Amino acid sequence: MAYNKIVVTGGAGRLGRFVVERLKQRYDVSVIDIHPSDVPGVQSADVDVTDLEALTAAFKGADAVVHLAAVPNPRTSSPEKCFRVNTQGTWVALQAAEDAGVKRVIVISSDSATGLHYNPKDWAPQYLPVDEKHPIRPSEVYSLSKEVTESIARCYSVRGKVEVLVIRPGHIVFAPEYPELGTRGSDVNNYHLWGYVAPQDVAQGIQLALEHPDGRYDCFFLGAADGLNERPTLEIMKERLGYLPEVRGDVFESNPNAGVFGIGHAREVLGYEPQFTWRDFGAR
């Protein structure tokens, strides 16, 4: 599908800057954010993503929307704000896109939608690697907001007026975190299950999802090719749980440090291939 104009909600945020920088090389990109974009040559507008009328007007003339705007961390917001912005903002963005005649929306969810990150003791991966068919059971507000986000996305896809694809990035690492990554990787109880992804690779996956010829609803984990763990993934997982879940496929044979959240679907369908590992950041 050919696009000319793309709108990125939350495009002035930490991830948004990487997405906008990448997409502007090929498209006419504009940003909706409560902060102005600092990417040269990119226009931005301060529009509340929970304001349907204003967002519909902002989407007029756009071919595609990348919906990044959300509360990205449950520890930096009240539960009420986290749930409202993440769920109502997604509904408004998709309704506005539909009303404005947008062709495709890429919705950013999270691998936390599985409910595995904050890990109740009785909720461990049912099998490894965790793929997009794995059961989900969120147990706190941020993960729940992402499950609802994905339900809203599926709903609008079923309606058939706008194409919707969902991206589930792993924990996106930015420069302030680099010195901590080695320590996190050696922590058996790391609450991200040692998963991570560079923002550049998330931007790659988003572009691939925009350009994918099949607009039917789909969901994709995006992560690095490995985990933060320097010990083999199955070894550290067995130590964490006291047992090893069912292992499917041969990914851990070819890459013993492969991530818990599998990226095989994104590789096969989108052609996604992560370019960065945590070692590229000088983290030890």
Side-chain angles (χ1 to χ4, degrees), residues 83 115 122 199 247 279:
F83 191 77
D122 64 343
V247 179
R279 295 169 181 82

Side-chain angles (χ1 to χ4, degrees), residues 6-154:
I6 296 177
V7 179
V8 181
T9 71
R14 292 191 300 173
L15 172 61
R17 293 183 181 93
F18 287 90
V19 173
V20 170
E21 285 278 12
R22 185 177 183 106
L23 295 182
K24 69 171 287 205
Q25 298 175 33
R26 302 188 65 171
Y27 303 106
D28 175 6
V29 178
S30 60
V31 166
I32 288 173
D33 203 301
I34 57 175
H35 303 291
S37 173
D38 60 4
V39 177
V42 172
Q43 293 186 336
S44 60
D46 181 357
V47 178
D48 185 343
V49 293
T50 64
D51 185 332
L52 178 59
E53 183 177 0
L55 205 58
T56 303
F59 286 171
K60 286 291 185 183
D63 299 307
V65 167
V66 177
H67 180 53
L68 299 178
V71 173
N73 187 323
R75 296 174 298 280
T76 60
S77 165
S78 68
E80 295 86 352
K81 181 179 179 182
C82 176
F83 191 77
R84 178 182 62 82
V85 172
N86 290 2
T87 59
Q88 185 180 354
T90 299
W91 180 85
V92 168
L94 285 164
Q95 184 63 51
E98 188 179 271
D99 292 345
V102 170
K103 299 173 185 175
R104 181 174 294 188
V105 180
I106 308 301
V107 173
I108 310 306
S109 180
S110 168
D111 61 1
S112 70
T114 59
L116 290 167
H117 284 330
Y118 298 93
N119 253 34
K121 291 182 179 179
D122 64 343
W123 181 233
Q126 306 300 291
Y127 57 84
L128 299 171
V130 174
D131 61 16
E132 292 80 0
K133 296 179 181 179
H134 190 282
I136 61 176
R137 192 176 74 173
S139 60
E140 47 76 47
V141 68
Y142 179 74
S143 301
L144 175 61
S145 77
K146 292 304 183 180
E147 180 188 23
V148 175
T149 287
E150 293 184 10
S151 294
I152 296 168
R154 281 191 298 270

Side-chain angles (χ1 to χ4, degrees), residues 87-231:
T87 59
Q88 185 180 354
T90 299
W91 180 85
V92 168
L94 285 164
Q95 184 63 51
E98 188 179 271
D99 292 345
V102 170
K103 299 173 185 175
R104 181 174 294 188
V105 180
I106 308 301
V107 173
I108 310 306
S109 180
S110 168
D111 61 1
S112 70
T114 59
L116 290 167
H117 284 330
Y118 298 93
N119 253 34
K121 291 182 179 179
D122 64 343
W123 181 233
Q126 306 300 291
Y127 57 84
L128 299 171
V130 174
D131 61 16
E132 292 80 0
K133 296 179 181 179
H134 190 282
I136 61 176
R137 192 176 74 173
S139 60
E140 47 76 47
V141 68
Y142 179 74
S143 301
L144 175 61
S145 77
K146 292 304 183 180
E147 180 188 23
V148 175
T149 287
E150 293 184 10
S151 294
I152 296 168
R154 281 191 298 270
C155 169
Y156 276 85
S157 176
V158 168
R159 289 159 68 99
K161 297 180 181 180
V162 59
E163 298 175 346
V164 187
L165 299 176
V166 170
I167 298 295
R168 286 180 178 172
H171 176 64
I172 305 170
V173 293
F174 298 96
E177 300 173 81
Y178 294 170
E180 304 171 7
L181 297 183
T183 301
R184 293 181 190 179
S186 63
D187 180 3
V188 171
N189 295 309
N190 174 262
Y191 61 77
H192 288 296
L193 292 171
W194 316 286
Y196 75 101
V197 63
Q200 298 95 325
D201 284 331
V202 180
Q204 176 207 158
I206 288 170
Q207 180 181 334
L208 291 169
L210 277 169
E211 297 173 353
H212 184 50
D214 189 347
R216 290 174 296 179
Y217 179 85
D218 209 340
C219 178
F220 303 94
F221 282 118
L222 295 184
D226 62 352
L228 293 173
N229 46 294
E230 295 201 74
R231 293 166 55 195

Side-chain angles (χ1 to χ4, degrees), residues 188 234-245:
V188 171
L234 299 184
E235 176 185 306
I236 197 169
M237 179 61 80
K238 185 175 182 179
E239 179 178 342
R240 178 186 182 116
L241 299 178
Y243 67 95
L244 189 62

